[in-house]
Amino acid sequence: RSHIAQTRSRGSRLNIIIIAEGAIDRSGKPISSNYVKDLVVQRLGFDTRVTVLGHVQRGGTPSAFDRVLSSKMGMEAVMALLEATPDTPACVVSHSGNQSVRLPLMECVQVTKDVQKAMDEKRFDEAIQLRGRSFENNWNIYKLLAHQKPAQEKSPFSMAILNVGAPAAGMNAAVRSAVRIGICQGHTIYVVNDGFEGLAKGQVRDTLGAAGHWGASISQSFGRLQAYEGVLQLVEARGQYEELCIVMCVIPATISNNVPGTDFSLGSDTAVNAAMESCDRIKQSASGTKRRVFIVETMGGYCGYLSTVTGIAVGADAAYVYEDPFTIHDLKANVEHLTDKMKTDIQRGLVLRNEKCHEHYTTEFLYNLYSSEGKGIFDCRINVLGHLQQGGAPTPFDRNYGTKLGVKAVLWMSEKLQQVYSKGRVFANSGDTACVIGLRKKVVAFSPVTELKKVTDFEHRLPQEQWWLNLRLMLKMLANYQISLTEYISGQMEHVTRRTLSIEKGF
Amino acid sequence: RSHIAQTRSRGSRLNIIIIAEGAIDRSGKPISSNYVKDLVVQRLGFDTRVTVLGHVQRGGTPSAFDRVLSSKMGMEAVMALLEATPDTPACVVSHSGNQSVRLPLMECVQVTKDVQKAMDEKRFDEAIQLRGRSFENNWNIYKLLAHQKPAQEKSPFSMAILNVGAPAAGMNAAVRSAVRIGICQGHTIYVVNDGFEGLAKGQVRDTLGAAGHWGASISQSFGRLQAYEGVLQLVEARGQYEELCIVMCVIPATISNNVPGTDFSLGSDTAVNAAMESCDRIKQSASGTKRRVFIVETMGGYCGYLSTVTGIAVGADAAYVYEDPFTIHDLKANVEHLTDKMKTDIQRGLVLRNEKCHEHYTTEFLYNLYSSEGKGIFDCRINVLGHLQQGGAPTPFDRNYGTKLGVKAVLWMSEKLQQVYSKGRVFANSGDTACVIGLRKKVVAFSPVTELKKVTDFEHRLPQEQWWLNLRLMLKMLANYQISLTEYISGQMEHVTRRTLSIEKGF
Amino acid sequence: RSHIAQTRSRGSRLNIIIIAEGAIDRSGKPISSNYVKDLVVQRLGFDTRVTVLGHVQRGGTPSAFDRVLSSKMGMEAVMALLEATPDTPACVVSHSGNQSVRLPLMECVQVTKDVQKAMDEKRFDEAIQLRGRSFENNWNIYKLLAHQKPAQEKSPFSMAILNVGAPAAGMNAAVRSAVRIGICQGHTIYVVNDGFEGLAKGQVRDTLGAAGHWGASISQSFGRLQAYEGVLQLVEARGQYEELCIVMCVIPATISNNVPGTDFSLGSDTAVNAAMESCDRIKQSASGTKRRVFIVETMGGYCGYLSTVTGIAVGADAAYVYEDPFTIHDLKANVEHLTDKMKTDIQRGLVLRNEKCHEHYTTEFLYNLYSSEGKGIFDCRINVLGHLQQGGAPTPFDRNYGTKLGVKAVLWMSEKLQQVYSKGRVFANSGDTACVIGLRKKVVAFSPVTELKKVTDFEHRLPQEQWWLNLRLMLKMLANYQISLTEYISGQMEHVTRRTLSIEKGF
Amino acid sequence: RSHIAQTRSRGSRLNIIIIAEGAIDRSGKPISSNYVKDLVVQRLGFDTRVTVLGHVQRGGTPSAFDRVLSSKMGMEAVMALLEATPDTPACVVSHSGNQSVRLPLMECVQVTKDVQKAMDEKRFDEAIQLRGRSFENNWNIYKLLAHQKPAQEKSPFSMAILNVGAPAAGMNAAVRSAVRIGICQGHTIYVVNDGFEGLAKGQVRDTLGAAGHWGASISQSFGRLQAYEGVLQLVEARGQYEELCIVMCVIPATISNNVPGTDFSLGSDTAVNAAMESCDRIKQSASGTKRRVFIVETMGGYCGYLSTVTGIAVGADAAYVYEDPFTIHDLKANVEHLTDKMKTDIQRGLVLRNEKCHEHYTTEFLYNLYSSEGKGIFDCRINVLGHLQQGGAPTPFDRNYGTKLGVKAVLWMSEKLQQVYSKGRVFANSGDTACVIGLRKKVVAFSPVTELKKVTDFEHRLPQEQWWLNLRLMLKMLANYQISLTEYISGQMEHVTRRTLSIEKGF
């Protein structure tokens, strides 16, 4: 195809063509990998190799997301059965916007059939729509990035991208997609070294590498709570400095998942998986040892997300977090629970502890308490996961998520710019021109930093409300504590006010 | 083929057929995966899927072994150049028995050509021989395990397998191959739960699961230094208890690589890779942060192998180990080195510390020293890798190594049994009937535990001499310390007395 | 007097003459200090100064002994009242052999009158007897030491004094009195530098400073449990080494009071007073601060004596010791007790913790627990008393006690020597020739080290039974815990089997 | 005398009459204690007891002040000898305003003779003058307090006394004398509970115990840096709140001696003595142990005064303080020094460490460093003195000092009040009406808090310049480090700019 020839002519030395197992052409004929290979070799004369992933895609350790998802859906299925009456129609347990939901079975079957029918009838666009909003969304973004074309004319706008704080997995994907889309739209894109400090010092270059004079109009920052705090300060200083009346967008990227305005920050999925893998190994190390309890310390600042979600993924016996205060009474209960458990077949325990969950009940403290009260029944070991939670290759989720956030952020900024552009000058002074982009339930949302200020606990660097707290009861139930389903449901309800039971076609 | 049909008929539900890219049949015709698939489907009627691994095999992070190997060979190459005179014949730098060696280029080329010629002329056995002893060895073991047949007649011997201490990666492979070969040879194989304690309590079962009365003759234990110590005690008690006059073989399996009688213990490669991956992530976490030094604590008891080899693999600035004593003078030098380094482009430091390297210079101590003396130049963070070094999936090396050790151990025991069997009774009382199996330079060797006792530092659980200590100078050179090549070479020579420069065809 | 003139003529430059306030001469005439001064000046011509101690003797901080004594007697008095019926004769609460006792009031009054009457009638010896055995004892030892005369003839025996372990207050007094009495009895006295090690190396000198050849017969060692253990080993080796068939006596001297065979070891009173004074100061430091709890760590190895007795003397809220095991349940109860207490007027808390009372419930642990559970109600501070408990000037009790033990030990050894001396040679091989001297209830007792072995917990360096454990309930009652008197009494009874209610005239 | 009769008639039950050994009456006749006793018994009929302190006053452990003083004067004497030429007149080394000084011998002798002559000629007032300003000062204050008379008429002024922060030794003396003098002058005196907080809440009572309405005019606060900071804030708020235009005086009272405006804060002498006694005991505990180094942690916040002065008093080998920065280089030098020292006769070491002297070189760090580098040569122990440095009975110096500061503060306030009183109203708005009272060199000085602000390091709670830093070189010299006298003198000169060599008649 000409697309490949083009990229080669621009100097690229490598192309990857991905073909789905069931790929068909417009006439319904299967497209095999060998067919494509022959095509490329014959038409373009490029050296081509085929890899058939096959069952390589099936095996392997399940990701943290898959583990938590299956736990949630299993719980929901049990609840559905318990609540069912003879008249309840059959349902499918599904997941939408971080919540398990029940969908009428018949409706789901019908949708599946409709998709197939549309495919058979070659109504491809319709088939895509029937697959749901999320699928459509992904398809559109793929097309946008894969078939991007250089802008026909230069836009009057410049954008600068700056990274604030430690790196987080998925940021490269976000920067790449943002730069691509930005260029396609004709903007001049600058990158800033060294965050706000670099910006102040003028360490700004355009994407072609030339030192830039960023005299213009748009900032976009990635990063942790610091980025959000920084943008908030800039916005609050707009009254004094007109130069700050530009459009700004924060892409939240931190392993801690503690940025208000989004359910997930970029990089937190990778961190959860890294922590999970480490816990898997730690548990495995005890397979020959009988009766051992591990206390594992995770990162996350005051935010217990990493600890809680990892806890569910690895089946932890407890996960101590700052948001769910505990006293010596709770610690005693946990120790007694483990002592009982050790009398059964399962003779290993795993307890997670968020690094800042308690000023005095340190990891050392827990070790001493567990060692002493478990004496003669189990022994205890400490592991502090440390910085390996921050590094590592991004998970598919974080790569996809980063790509999408990059695209959406630039599209939103372009739109806002048009709105505030007048007489050859950008003047953005309303709150809604400085936002945090994020995923809220099923949709990508833009929340003005000035609004988020009201719902942020700045001292502990936490949003005042966090959706994932409703997972804690599940963690406790799964750890076999004596929690009745009624408690569970009412506990859920505290956090979850609405739960939609319609067919979701989310992000 | 009948082999597959057979295993299926015995209940197996899954077969894996591996076909090399360049596989040919006896007539020289290529064997493709699709050809095999068609064959299986048509002849046997089994559902068959093809996966073409292709370039999946090429990418990925290099293993610790590959990193250390390339470091060693690079060093050797530089030394070869420095030592070369106009008359020195061209050489190839290669690796044999844990040492870099130089082989005459022409000789190597000739061997390669000979292999190809033998293949072309269908002298396959000869071709295999020309590939070297290690290749031939692997091929023989593969054949033994893949084409094993149940023994025609029962042997008079029983063997028991027991695991002592914490699990180590690769042990499952070793147990599997030992059991298979043992059964093929007609022995009765028992497994023991819970190590020596279980043996004492009679927690013994045969491989068919029946509770066994192990009234017989052969023990084989896996495990760490404890296993070796245990067997040593049993041997020393032979005078008092005739029941202990049996053949015993220890397969050293521990992440610490501290068992005398072998250059590598099973599981240590997996541990090094686990530590390496964690260090990779930790380093990556600092990619946005400027000027940070990580102090990473590794396991290994008093043995610095894990720390040293991981240090080379990740390019550490220092690796503190017990075997290489250090004082405040050395610590000061390291800190000053890092301070200088931070003034260059590379602004990250990584320092490894073996858990028991020093009674007083703890990880906390190093943190305080580095933090204080580096003040204003770099900051410092601690990571304690912990038990994740013990768990995890075994590396290919450990799986292969385990398989080989299992096979060789059983073969050796069978042979010894024949020797000490007389008048219907096993009576093994010479020292060479209780050995540690291990890899010593290039060969699998069996060392009597009574001999090893003389070269063991029991207090610190270390062999008195350790081959890998000669890697420490390399580590220091690679960390850019001011060590001259002359020092390096003489340092090497302290440890390495002989270095063979002939073509090696090892293990 | 000629006595003073004599000591002067032997080179002494200082004499101290102590005159009791009510001193009378044989004719009943008062002896005033000025009278004595004039006498000395006129008769001997020495420069003489008078100091009248007066009320200096009355004030000051009460000693630990006095504080504990008054606590015990107060408790006993309350119990006496509670148990009293109309028929119970009036009693005096007194103290005998570490126990509070009740003596009939009339009897006590009568004894007092008898003393006065004997004095009036100049029956001085009888008066002394009526003052009780302890008084008589002290008087005799004073006379022995003050009026000692060099031996008329040399005895055939030599004695060596060696000190084992750290110094303890009062040892100098013991050595001084032992040497004096030994010389008076005509023995040759050697001193050994550096304990058993010095003895082995021959670092022996006689009391005149000449390097000695100690080829003889008697050892006497001071020290801690090590001394006792050392002598035990020597005794057990008597079978092999005839040289060890000598008479040996251990004077227990250690701050820990953990030597079997005595209720008090020399130096423990000084240590208790040192700890008490430090606690007094610590409490005082909080007088301006409201609501603070101090956790104070004391020495003593595994022995909780120092901690418990200091706790009673300073009114501690708790004293954690190894001998009285505790769990998280007890810790919780203590914290809750303090929380309640802080709501009353007394807003300070003091908790003692013996250094080895618990492997896991360290001082740091307690600090964290108290700080956390007391949050908002009180804050918490740690103090580790450390080595200042070992130093300091000996208390009057330890000086007196040391003097007596030195005298009694030498007298006992002289007697034993006579018994085992035969044909010009000492041959001591029975168990009762190697003893620990000590105070048991009211009497000085000599316990064979071989007997004591049976009642010693060598691992924890503790006697298996310790009399002071019955003080712990008192400590808890005084700390206002909800312990009923009935519990207290039955608790007492566990430890105390006999309690004599007769008039005691003890040590 | 009528004075005693009077105090008795006012309810006092105890009088103490102190008579100097050489006391004479106006006619030169000696006054003996028995003479006074007889007088009191006969004339007043009170029960009277005599105590003759005699040599009780001579013995005992020297105070910290005496130890430091003798060290300084010894150093000065050596320097005087080294600097002397044949022409240098003989001199006496004395001490004035924290400095050693040299006075001409002949002049001193003359003054002594003059005093005697004045006494002989009954020119008592002149004799007092000749004894120097300090003597005269003390005499006047004694007379003021002993012979105080209730004021004839009420003054229009009220004073309130409040205590800020933790208590310090000597404060009671200061409050007592301030209240006495205040009442004598006719002022109404209030006391405030709970410092500034209590003042805000109105917890004010007058000295007769009645809850007071302190609607008036004068504050006086005692306390630590907080008191000074508090008063500074009040002064800075005078512009807004006219009520704050009152006269204020801070009496600095803290063990840390870190208040600007005075060379000594009340309580620091007691703390130094407490720390010194503890160190004495710690050293003593090692008298039987060979080769031990103690690391002793003292209080003082960032201020190294306590540590340095205690170090000199106990002959410490080093005293680490915040004001005298040190690196690993210095630590190494100290360890090497101790290693050398252990090879001599003195085999004990003592190292002091101020609690906040270094962020990273903690007490634990030093312990590890010393233990490791001293291995085989000496062992090491930690002691943390803790809160016992804050408590304890005040030393004579602190009692006297407190008494004087209380008197002088009230006299100064009375004077200031007169100045700012006009038209029935106190209006104090100049800087010199809010002062810190203190001893600066030899005189009691009043420094406006607004002036002191400029010379205070508020972050570390330290005066920017501290006179005692010149003692550090002496400490190092006395510890036998290789410091030449020249260095010492030039080091001195850095701190000390002027040194007066005239006859001082100081405070």
Side-chain angles (χ1 to χ4, degrees), chain A residues 327-328 332 358-361 365 368-369 371-373 375, chain C residues 327-328 332 358-361 365 368-369 371-373 375:
Chain A
T327 69
I328 193 67
K332 260 192 70 187
H358 199 286
E359 188 187 352
H360 297 292
Y361 294 150
F365 185 95
N368 277 317
L369 180 68
S371 293
S372 174
E373 299 296 316
K375 197 160 191 171
Chain C
T327 68
I328 193 67
K332 260 191 70 188
H358 199 287
E359 187 188 352
H360 296 293
Y361 295 151
F365 184 95
N368 276 317
L369 180 68
S371 292
S372 175
E373 298 297 316
K375 197 160 191 169

Side-chain angles (χ1 to χ4, degrees), chain A residues 170-182:
Chain A
M171 273 173 48
N172 285 351
V175 172
R176 199 176 52 107
S177 68
V179 169
R180 282 198 178 195
I181 297 296

Side-chain angles (χ1 to χ4, degrees), chain D residues 203-268:
Chain D
Q203 295 173 352
V204 177
R205 284 176 183 275
D206 73 14
T207 36
L208 302 174
H213 174 67
W214 185 65
S217 44
I218 288 300
S219 141
Q220 179 177 20
S221 61
F222 291 79
R224 354 181 104 210
L225 209 56
Q226 291 105 292
Y228 154 59
E229 287 169 335
V231 168
L232 184 57
Q233 282 173 36
L234 296 183
V235 167
E236 290 177 345
R238 274 176 172 174
Q240 290 162 274
Y241 303 97
E242 203 181 301
E243 303 89 300
L244 299 173
C245 294
I246 54 176
V247 176
M248 292 180 270
C249 182
V250 176
I251 297 184
T254 164
I255 65 162
S256 304
N257 199 20
N258 65 338
V259 184
T262 186
D263 290 352
F264 296 103
S265 63
L266 203 50
S268 59

